[in-house]
Amino acid sequence: MPRPYSSGLMMRDPSEPVATGRNRRLAHLLGIEGLDRGTITELLTSSDRFVDCNRSEDKKLGTLRGRTLINLFFENSTRTRTSFELAGKRLGADVINMSVGSSSIKKGETLIDTAMTLNAMHPDVLVVRHASSGSVHLLAEKVNCSVINAGDGTHEHPTQALLDALTIRRNLERGLEGLVVAICGDIAHSRVARSNIHLLAIMGARVRVVAPPTLVPAGLDRLGIEIYHDMTRGLAGADIVMMLRLQTERMSAGLVPSLREYYRFYGLTYEKLEYAKPNALIMHPGPMNRGVEIDSEVADDIDRSVIRQQVEMGVAVRMACLTALAGSG
Ligand code: CP
């Protein structure tokens, strides 16, 4: 069994095959918290190679031939689930997409029993998304295959932060050290924000969050980031403007006065973007609420917005993560 290493990841026994170059390889990818700069850099460099592969005519590799990947999504997804499926298939793995809606979960089977049942079929990797923070960690302790967190509640979404970092790195042709990154919007409900805050801090970026007080979770100041409630001040001089979806489905009433008011004060428009650096990149993990957290024209601006590139990078990053976890080393 893999042994715990930190809250963010677990490492295999050092005597097992290596894949990271530091004599230990990833057993699970449960979060960014706990990863070190070297591991993140290796995953990004490996992802770069998969971008080239994905742009070529023949995208099929045999790296994971004979391995089995199961996608187990308890929450909806377009980007993450599809890109893990594509990533697995392009690496030559057998990929199963569990349909939670027609599974025995509907008869009352628990998350852990479901995971143990799938584990008995000898998959190599379980990719799991679940509404409860911490559920994916718990599951990883019960199974003996690798587990990737595809988003757990408001906790972490590590592959999203990695693909965001890859997008930034490729566009700016430099590392993340010293960049000013403004993460704007619904921080309280965002696992994307949490994973990005960890990753950007590890890589030496300056992180700001910009949000109404009701959408800033308690204790965020302990992570050493700057907190703003005014968009124009928060965006001043930013290299990267990362917008977040307003997650109304996770909210109790009263956190924002109305969607119209929210857009007026926190929606990204060209007017507000003026305060960021002239070539600041616009990012959004998707899915977007156009006209709520971002103006439609700004989102589609091919000179500024890298939102579609983020989706492309998602496949490459997931190929790199699957290779690090399940490749033969
Ligand atoms: N960014 C993201 O996780 O998108 P999906 O919910 O579509 O997977």
Side-chain angles (χ1 to χ4, degrees), residues 1-317:
M1 282 286 287
R3 63 191 171 77
Y5 179 75
S6 77
S7 58
L9 79 166
M10 294 180 187
M11 306 298 259
R12 287 190 195 284
D13 188 281
S15 60
E16 291 185 348
V18 302
T20 67
R22 278 193 298 285
N23 289 340
R24 291 189 296 185
R25 84 174 187 189
L26 294 176
H28 303 298
L29 180 59
L30 304 177
I32 296 295
E33 189 179 13
L35 292 182
D36 58 37
R37 196 185 276 217
T39 302
I40 292 169
T41 304
E42 277 179 38
L43 286 170
L44 296 180
T45 303
S46 165
S47 303
D48 269 325
R49 289 194 289 271
F50 288 117
V51 174
D52 296 336
C53 165
N54 288 333
R55 288 178 180 175
S56 67
E57 201 172 331
D58 185 0
K59 301 171 182 61
K60 195 94 174 173
L61 301 168
T63 320
L64 296 189
R65 188 175 294 121
R67 310 286 202 283
T68 305
L69 157 68
I70 301 182
N71 270 328
L72 182 57
F73 279 58
F74 292 85
E75 284 189 322
N76 294 340
S77 169
T78 297
R79 282 146 282 266
T80 313
R81 199 177 98 144
T82 311
S83 59
F84 266 115
E85 181 176 356
L86 266 180
K89 286 181 172 168
R90 287 184 181 168
L91 291 166
D94 295 315
V95 181
I96 310 293
N97 290 312
M98 265 274 298
S99 168
V100 168
S102 57
S103 73
S104 289
I105 288 158
K106 290 287 166 198
K107 299 177 198 161
E109 192 160 53
T110 65
L111 166 68
I112 298 302
D113 282 339
T114 303
M116 297 296 280
T117 301
L118 296 175
N119 187 53
M121 299 179 201
H122 300 292
D124 297 282
V125 185
L126 273 179
V127 177
V128 186
R129 172 172 286 189
H130 197 276
S132 300
S133 303
S135 54
V136 184
H137 277 72
L138 184 67
L139 186 151
E141 286 168 7
K142 307 282 181 193
V143 297
N144 53 14
C145 62
S146 294
V147 176
I148 298 180
N149 182 358
D152 64 325
T154 59
H155 177 229
E156 280 234 35
H157 189 352
T159 56
Q160 179 70 46
L162 287 164
L163 76 87
D164 290 342
L166 184 66
T167 307
I168 295 170
R169 215 173 79 146
R170 290 178 68 93
N171 275 278
L172 301 186
E173 293 179 358
R174 53 160 287 188
L176 281 74
E177 179 96 45
L179 285 178
V180 177
V181 182
I183 305 178
C184 311
D186 186 357
I187 311 292
H189 300 100
S190 179
R191 52 199 177 205
V192 173
R194 230 165 296 274
S195 286
N196 264 302
I197 288 167
H198 288 305
L199 187 145
L200 291 164
I202 293 164
M203 302 307 280
R206 260 182 71 193
V207 186
R208 298 175 182 170
V209 300
V210 189
T214 49
L215 295 180
V216 177
L220 202 66
D221 48 338
R222 287 200 295 271
L223 296 178
I225 54 182
E226 300 163 46
I227 299 174
Y228 293 86
H229 301 305
D230 178 276
M231 275 290 265
T232 57
R233 290 181 59 210
L235 294 190
D239 296 285
I240 309 291
V241 180
M242 193 181 283
M243 302 308 298
L244 298 174
R245 183 171 70 88
L246 193 65
Q247 300 191 41
T248 46
E249 78 279 12
R250 294 191 206 273
M251 280 181 200
S252 51
L255 291 183
V256 292
S258 71
L259 297 185
R260 217 167 123 194
E261 282 289 283
Y262 184 81
Y263 181 68
R264 187 167 151 229
F265 289 104
Y266 293 99
L268 186 65
T269 56
Y270 279 116
E271 204 184 357
K272 295 190 190 94
L273 192 58
E274 280 285 304
Y275 290 85
K277 282 206 180 137
N279 294 323
L281 296 180
I282 300 160
M283 305 182 75
H284 192 304
M288 281 183 277
N289 293 311
R290 291 172 183 265
V292 176
E293 69 262 2
I294 191 164
D295 171 73
S296 217
E297 269 186 54
V298 173
D300 295 335
D301 186 333
I302 52 168
D303 296 322
R304 308 290 298 272
S305 166
V306 293
I307 294 169
R308 298 286 167 245
Q309 287 178 43
Q310 287 174 266
V311 178
E312 182 192 1
M313 295 307 123
V315 181
V317 155

